């Protein structure tokens, strides 16, 4: 069965990108809540900083891919994307955005809001909407390397180093 792998704040880390690709099965979807490339501030002296290789890999990615710009992404590097994206994935209505300067009104049918920016994972419910921040597989601010998974109406935060599910919620159906 297909699942949605959720990440954010990769910041051009090719190692983190390769980890994400290994998580993807052939029928899985991928959502990235911004700062995938970090072509604004990235360190060209760091051998792991390879936004061009990530961009090249994306052109060959067969999995459905949802992406929004983050505050460290330069739009001209990967054009024609959005700052905010509403989509339906596996029966769940999702709003994807990076999280900085968020002023969009959440549409009434949204069940799950995904955001990044803080580099700290969180999963909570507010007003019958699940809010997921997958944290970061590249530069977590709390030293816990995490990503999110949505599968069978469950939303989970997973520690990549231990494989442990840190928290899990069941996606709600809007009335």
């Amino acid at each position: 069965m297909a699942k949605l792998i959720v990440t954010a704040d990769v910041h051009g880390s090719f190692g983190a990108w390769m980890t994400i690709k290994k998580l993807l099965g052939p029928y899985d979807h991928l959502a990235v809540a911004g700062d995938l490339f970090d072509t604004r501030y990235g360190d060209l002296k760091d051998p792991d900083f390879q936004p061009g290789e990530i961009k090249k890999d994306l052109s060959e990615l067969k999995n459905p891919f949802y992406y929004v710009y983050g505050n460290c992404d330069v739009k001209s590097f990967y054009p024609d994307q959005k700052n905010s994206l509403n989509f339906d994935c596996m029966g769940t209505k999702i709003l994807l955005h990076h999280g900085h300067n968020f002023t969009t009104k959440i549409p009434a049918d949204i069940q799950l809001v995904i955001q990044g920016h803080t580099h700290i994972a969180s999963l909570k419910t507010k007003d019958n909407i699940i809010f997921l921040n997958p944290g970061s597989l590249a530069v977590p601010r709390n030293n816990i390397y995490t990503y999110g998974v949505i599968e069978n109406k469950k939303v989970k935060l997973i520690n990549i180093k231990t494989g442990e599910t840190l928290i899990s919620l069941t996606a709600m159906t809007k009335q």
Side-chain angles (χ1 to χ4, degrees), residues 16-108:
W17 174 248
M18 294 308 291
T19 298
I20 293 162
K21 283 182 52 178
K22 287 178 187 172
L23 293 171
L24 288 170
Y27 303 105
D28 294 340
H29 299 227
L30 175 61
V32 180
D35 286 349
L36 175 58
F37 304 108
D38 191 1
T39 47
R40 184 176 313 270
Y41 306 110
D43 183 1
L44 294 171
K45 293 180 225 137
D46 181 347
D48 186 52
F49 180 68
Q50 297 185 32
E53 288 299 312
I54 296 170
K55 181 179 174 181
K56 180 180 160 197
D57 265 11
L58 276 175
S59 70
E60 300 167 5
L61 187 69
K62 304 284 188 236
N63 302 73
F65 176 63
Y66 313 95
Y67 166 73
V68 293
Y69 294 122
N71 60 304
C72 296
D73 293 320
V74 174
K75 294 178 181 183
S76 62
F77 181 78
Y78 195 70
D80 303 322
Q81 305 303 306
K82 298 178 180 181
N83 292 317
S84 183
L85 177 66
N86 295 1
F87 64 99
D88 187 317
C89 186
M90 296 174 282
T92 301
K93 302 282 188 184
I94 300 171
L95 170 60
L96 178 69
H97 67 95
H98 185 56
H100 72 293
N101 300 329
F102 183 68
T103 57
T104 302
K105 185 177 189 292
I106 298 173

Side-chain angles (χ1 to χ4, degrees), residues 154-169:
K154 284 206 180 288
V155 182
K156 300 185 272 188
L157 272 175
I158 299 174
N159 180 324
I160 191 73
K161 292 190 176 192
T162 66
E164 173 189 8
T165 297
L166 301 175
I167 187 169
S168 175
L169 294 173

